[in-house]
Amino acid sequence: YYHDEAANIYYLVLSRLPGQTLAEAWPDLGETRKRHYVDRVATICQQLAARKGDTISGIDGRHLSDRYLTKPGDSNDCDPQILLRNCKELGMDCSSLYFFHCDLGPGNIMVDSTSENWIGLLDWETAGFVPREWIRTKFRMSSGMDLPVGDVDARRDWRRRVQIKLGEM
């Protein structure tokens, strides 16, 4: 509906996406639909990664707000140089950096049961450029990508499936 920039902050006002979050839909989905959404999100990750960047940063070239790439004692600002140092210390190849949403938990994915191919991604504020390994690793270790209900295995089901699919790809 509207977009503007003020005080170095970009604002985008949209309508609400139709459907329900994947977190809401997941418990009632059959196995075929679950695999479909896992495949779609992994493919989206692959398509987004076609865009490359020069530094670990947000889309604006500045700070990437992904606290999982920081460690105790780091300054609290997610400075690109600190994130680069941390990724290198973890053994990640930082020679090429790839665009990633960075928060593809099931609460940030909208699906519509009336259209199998329709999918919407919410909350792009942590999107940016990261080492390729981070895309899969984020799914492997971030509890923020868990489903909201069930035992531990059930909550981790979504992110486990996506990281396996990313590994296959």
Side-chain angles (χ1 to χ4, degrees), residues 14-73:
L14 306 167
S15 62
R16 186 179 193 293
L17 292 176
Q20 62 186 147
T21 67
L22 187 60
E24 295 165 330
W26 191 263
D28 297 325
L29 295 176
E31 186 59 30
T32 301
R33 289 289 275 211
K34 287 179 179 181
R35 280 196 303 267
H36 169 75
Y37 288 127
V38 166
D39 290 349
R40 290 275 290 132
V41 169
T43 299
I44 288 169
C45 288
Q46 187 177 47
Q47 292 169 338
L48 291 174
R51 183 168 182 198
K52 294 185 179 180
D54 298 326
T55 185
I56 297 176
S57 68
I59 192 70
D60 61 358
R62 297 188 299 219
H63 297 60
L64 175 68
S65 299
D66 194 330
R67 300 277 181 227
Y68 282 98
L69 291 174
T70 63
K71 59 185 183 181

Side-chain angles (χ1 to χ4, degrees), residues 5-162:
E5 185 172 346
N8 292 323
I9 298 173
Y10 188 78
Y11 297 90
L12 182 63
V13 179
L14 306 167
S15 62
R16 186 179 193 293
L17 292 176
Q20 62 186 147
T21 67
L22 187 60
E24 295 165 330
W26 191 263
D28 297 325
L29 295 176
E31 186 59 30
T32 301
R33 289 289 275 211
K34 287 179 179 181
R35 280 196 303 267
H36 169 75
Y37 288 127
V38 166
D39 290 349
R40 290 275 290 132
V41 169
T43 299
I44 288 169
C45 288
Q46 187 177 47
Q47 292 169 338
L48 291 174
R51 183 168 182 198
K52 294 185 179 180
D54 298 326
T55 185
I56 297 176
S57 68
I59 192 70
D60 61 358
R62 297 188 299 219
H63 297 60
L64 175 68
S65 299
D66 194 330
R67 300 277 181 227
Y68 282 98
L69 291 174
T70 63
K71 59 185 183 181
D74 284 345
S75 62
N76 209 18
D77 62 6
C78 294
D79 179 85
Q81 292 306 313
I82 291 171
L83 301 181
L84 178 64
R85 180 200 69 209
N86 292 345
C87 288
K88 285 182 176 180
E89 286 177 5
L90 290 169
M92 291 187 201
D93 177 2
C94 298
S95 61
S96 294
L97 301 168
Y98 303 86
F99 187 62
F100 179 47
H101 182 282
C102 292
D103 192 12
L104 288 175
N108 285 339
I109 300 167
M110 296 295 291
V111 297
D112 185 348
S113 61
T114 64
S115 174
E116 185 173 298
N117 292 320
W118 189 91
I119 192 168
L121 305 181
L122 308 175
D123 296 341
W124 288 82
E125 69 272 8
T126 58
F129 297 95
V130 297
R132 181 180 299 278
E133 293 94 341
W134 184 242
I135 297 169
R136 183 176 179 208
T137 300
K138 181 76 181 253
F139 283 96
R140 289 185 64 123
M141 51 87 54
S142 174
S143 62
M145 298 212 188
D146 284 351
L147 293 159
V149 295
D151 64 22
V152 172
D153 289 336
R155 287 194 315 269
R156 292 180 180 164
D157 187 41
W158 161 251
R159 68 179 169 109
R160 179 189 59 79
R161 289 174 185 243
V162 175

